[in-house]
Amino acid sequence: MTIRFRFSKSDLITAAGVAMRPLEIDDKGGLFERLGQPGITERLTHEELADLLRQPDTAYIAGYFDRAKQDLRGRKPTDIINGLAQDVRRLVIWRRAVCDAFLAFEAAGEINRTHAGYAEGRAKLSCEVERRVGEGMAAAKLARPGAEIIMRQLPGSRTAFQWVRDYEGAGYSAVALIPETHRCGNRIPRWCHHSEALMNQVIEIYAVTQRPTKAAAVADTRQLFVRESKRRAAAGAPTLVVPSAASLRRRLGLADPYYVHAKRYGTAAANAKFTLFETGVDVTQPLERVEMDENRLDVISLLTLSGIWDHLPPERQERFEAGRRWLYVAIDCATRCILSMRLAETPNSSDAVRALRDIFIAKTPMARSAGCESTWHHHGGVQALVTDQGTAFTSDDFQGAVLSLGATTLLPPAGKPWLRGHIETFFRTYGHQLMPLLAGRTFFDTIQRGDYPSEQLACLCDDDLITILLTYVVDIYHNQGHGSLGEKPPTRLGGDWWPSMEHLRSRTA
């Protein structure tokens, strides 16, 4: 079916940077004239117009050359609502809701454009506006009993009628409701170009490796003005007005924070502080991206061999020293389910390979042996495995195992943990939720640890430690709400997604 387009001579179409205005539209297509090039026309069929409007570099603005919209464009700071500041954008949306609600009630005969009629329907109008914008009593999240509810005050009848007239005159465009406060104030330059150049020196004085205080930078800049004024007075030129300390602090606040931090602390520190953070790589299905890492546990346990501790004589038990174990963990980025956990004495490729093997098998028997109530059936073939550049993951044994399984291995650059944000977030989660419940914890650093006797309180052997970790993951972590999953637990989101082993074997065959 051919799409038929209707254009007005006041519309504007921009394609690949070329602006055009419609001249004629008929059943076969339309004739368009290029702006700034009178007489240069181009005829396009409706099929060609449909293909053109699908292109990402094509923009269509209806009524661009209308007189009312041209007047608005000259008076308003922008003709795009999203280009406004957040508070101003919210105000414009609220004003539009006031106009739409008023016009709807006016069409139903429930309000009229008189002061008495507006006052009579004011309460009903306020409720309708709150419903349209989701504020006040109509907010999506109900407030607690006794909590304060902030409500916007409706304008008076004269202001409301003016908003409605402006809204109608602009073809019901919300641009007409943008406040014109940007036109207020004195537009005359406050400082001459010599003063402007000296005021900018406060940024260079502050952004040095000696890291002076802002007060010192402001004082030095004011001294520059004093010396320059004396020099100009000796030469018979007009002196400069010394700006106040508040003016110089405001000018310093306009400096690029990255530039200032890089000059004071170095480029590496600035890159680390101003790194762009995202929600991570978009994934659409389980096992599309699995992140794996090793972490030293924040708890001191007794370094025992699993299953042997109870059979050792007391004198042998006393000879075992206390220390911290390492934990290998693999997490699925789509469902946030933990696919593998393995305790290790030190980082090594053998335990890393064993942890990789556990991703491909159902681990419910392990969970049952640890006394878990939930199942740990999450397993399958991995499409992409993301690790850091630790020696265990870059070893030939581990890389060979990954390649033999047909998975793609990704090694993000070192020193950028946000490129493996899911596994890093999990380590932080159990560090805050589980570790405080265990005796012998070491905390995150020595300052937080203080005088806590971690070595004297160490009482967990390997069996106890892995049992606690498995119970936390299978029964607690997999069943609690996750913020990035819309407060849904990982098992509920991914419960029906995990393929069977028969499907996996047919897929890898």
Side-chain angles (χ1 to χ4, degrees):
M1 182 181 66
T2 303
I3 302 177
R4 295 290 188 269
F5 294 94
R6 290 184 179 181
F7 295 103
S8 171
K9 292 185 177 181
S10 60
D11 296 344
L12 174 66
I13 299 178
T14 304
V18 178
M20 300 181 295
R21 181 175 65 92
L23 294 179
E24 298 177 0
I25 299 294
D26 52 27
D27 294 339
K28 296 181 180 180
L31 183 64
F32 296 86
E33 181 184 37
R34 293 189 178 183
L35 294 182
Q37 300 178 357
I40 305 299
T41 60
E42 183 176 0
R43 176 168 289 279
L44 300 174
T45 64
H46 288 288
E47 291 81 1
E48 293 173 338
L49 284 173
D51 294 336
L52 185 66
L53 293 176
R54 293 191 187 101
Q55 300 301 320
D57 56 351
T58 300
Y60 167 67
I61 304 177
Y64 180 85
F65 296 104
D66 286 344
R67 176 63 182 272
K69 290 192 175 182
Q70 290 295 330
D71 293 340
L72 285 177
R73 195 170 290 110
R75 293 187 289 107
K76 302 298 180 179
T78 179
D79 55 354
I80 301 176
I81 303 300
N82 281 341
L84 300 170
Q86 183 177 359
D87 55 342
V88 180
R89 180 170 66 247
R90 189 63 183 174
L91 176 61
V92 173
I93 294 174
W94 177 80
R95 287 186 176 186
R96 181 184 180 184
V98 172
C99 295
D100 290 339
F102 180 87
L103 293 174
F105 286 147
E106 185 182 40
E110 300 179 9
I111 200 172
N112 54 52
R113 301 195 187 190
T114 63
H115 178 74
Y118 182 80
E120 182 180 354
R122 186 185 181 95
K124 184 183 297 184
L125 181 65
S126 177
C127 295
E128 177 62 18
V129 171
E130 291 180 1
R131 186 191 66 81
R132 288 174 179 262
V133 297
E135 293 181 348
M137 296 299 296
K141 185 177 181 180
L142 297 178
R144 291 179 177 271
E148 295 182 356
I149 299 178
I150 300 177
M151 301 174 61
R152 295 181 185 266
Q153 178 69 25
L154 282 181
S157 58
R158 180 178 299 179
T159 303
F161 297 157
Q162 184 62 48
W163 288 357
V164 173
R165 287 193 296 268
D166 293 343
Y167 187 55
E168 292 175 328
Y172 303 97
S173 173
V175 177
L177 303 176
I178 298 177
E180 298 185 19
T181 53
H182 68 285
R183 305 173 65 187
C184 301
N186 186 3
R187 298 297 176 182
I188 301 176
R190 305 295 179 88
W191 311 96
C192 65
H193 63 281
H194 296 290
S195 298
E196 287 286 344
L198 283 180
M199 289 183 69
N200 289 332
Q201 290 299 313
V202 68
I203 301 175
E204 301 301 327
I205 295 175
Y206 178 72
V208 292
T209 55
Q210 287 76 15
R211 304 174 192 172
T213 62
K214 291 185 178 180
V218 169
D220 291 345
T221 306
R222 298 192 72 188
Q223 288 297 321
L224 287 179
F225 274 87
V226 173
R227 290 195 296 267
E228 179 64 18
S229 295
K230 292 180 179 180
R231 187 192 66 80
R232 293 170 68 90
T239 59
L240 301 177
V241 177
V242 180
S244 65
S247 298
L248 291 174
R249 283 195 297 268
R250 286 193 296 268
R251 181 59 58 92
L252 184 57
L254 298 176
D256 182 7
Y258 177 85
Y259 173 79
V260 173
H261 200 83
K263 296 284 285 186
R264 288 172 64 90
Y265 298 94
T267 305
N271 291 337
K273 181 177 180 179
F274 295 94
T275 300
L276 295 178
F277 290 89
E278 301 179 352
T279 56
V281 179
D282 292 333
V283 289
T284 58
Q285 59 183 354
L287 303 174
E288 180 180 351
R289 177 185 173 94
V290 175
E291 294 179 358
M292 187 175 179
D293 200 358
E294 59 193 11
N295 180 260
R296 197 177 188 186
L297 295 176
D298 295 326
V299 62
I300 293 181
S301 60
L302 298 175
L303 298 182
T304 64
L305 302 176
S306 299
I308 303 179
W309 179 260
D310 295 333
H311 301 283
L312 294 177
E315 60 273 11
R316 291 288 305 276
Q317 293 180 358
E318 295 178 357
R319 292 171 56 184
F320 278 95
E321 63 175 347
R324 294 167 61 184
R325 289 297 198 188
W326 289 78
L327 183 68
Y328 283 91
V329 179
I331 186 173
D332 177 63
C333 296
T335 62
R336 310 300 195 271
C337 288
I338 302 301
L339 304 177
S340 173
M341 288 184 62
R342 179 163 288 272
L343 209 61
E345 182 177 353
T346 58
N348 61 90
S349 59
S350 299
D351 284 311
V353 172
R354 294 188 183 97
L356 176 65
R357 181 202 61 185
D358 291 342
I359 299 177
F360 295 83
I361 62 175
K363 295 161 287 292
T364 299
M366 301 181 190
R368 296 302 187 199
S369 62
C372 300
E373 298 179 1
S374 302
T375 60
W376 196 10
H377 59 279
H378 314 92
H379 67 282
V382 179
Q383 297 185 25
L385 182 66
V386 184
T387 65
D388 60 10
Q389 297 188 12
T391 56
F393 299 123
T394 57
S395 63
D396 294 342
D397 293 339
F398 186 84
Q399 291 295 321
V402 175
L403 294 177
S404 300
L405 294 170
T408 301
T409 179
L410 301 177
L411 297 172
K416 297 182 178 180
W418 55 87
L419 298 180
R420 298 171 286 104
H422 297 297
I423 189 66
E424 297 292 343
T425 301
F426 171 75
F427 286 143
R428 184 178 60 195
T429 298
Y430 88 73
H432 286 287
Q433 293 185 356
L434 178 61
M435 292 296 112
L437 305 178
L438 303 182
R441 63 175 304 210
T442 59
F443 298 85
F444 293 104
D445 52 51
T446 56
I447 297 178
Q448 294 185 12
R449 180 178 176 180
D451 297 332
Y452 182 80
S454 303
E455 292 83 359
Q456 288 79 5
L457 296 179
C459 61
L460 299 174
C461 64
D462 284 355
D463 287 339
D464 296 333
L465 187 58
I466 194 62
T467 298
I468 293 174
L469 292 172
L470 286 177
T471 304
Y472 168 75
V473 168
V474 177
D475 285 344
I476 300 177
Y477 177 79
H478 280 177
N479 293 282
Q480 68 180 359
H482 201 292
S484 60
L485 301 178
E487 300 302 331
K488 295 181 180 179
T491 52
R492 183 177 302 177
L493 180 65
D496 298 332
W497 287 4
W498 300 101
S500 62
M501 284 302 296
E502 290 74 12
H503 173 71
L504 293 174
R505 292 193 184 96
S506 62
R507 175 180 165 185
T508 57

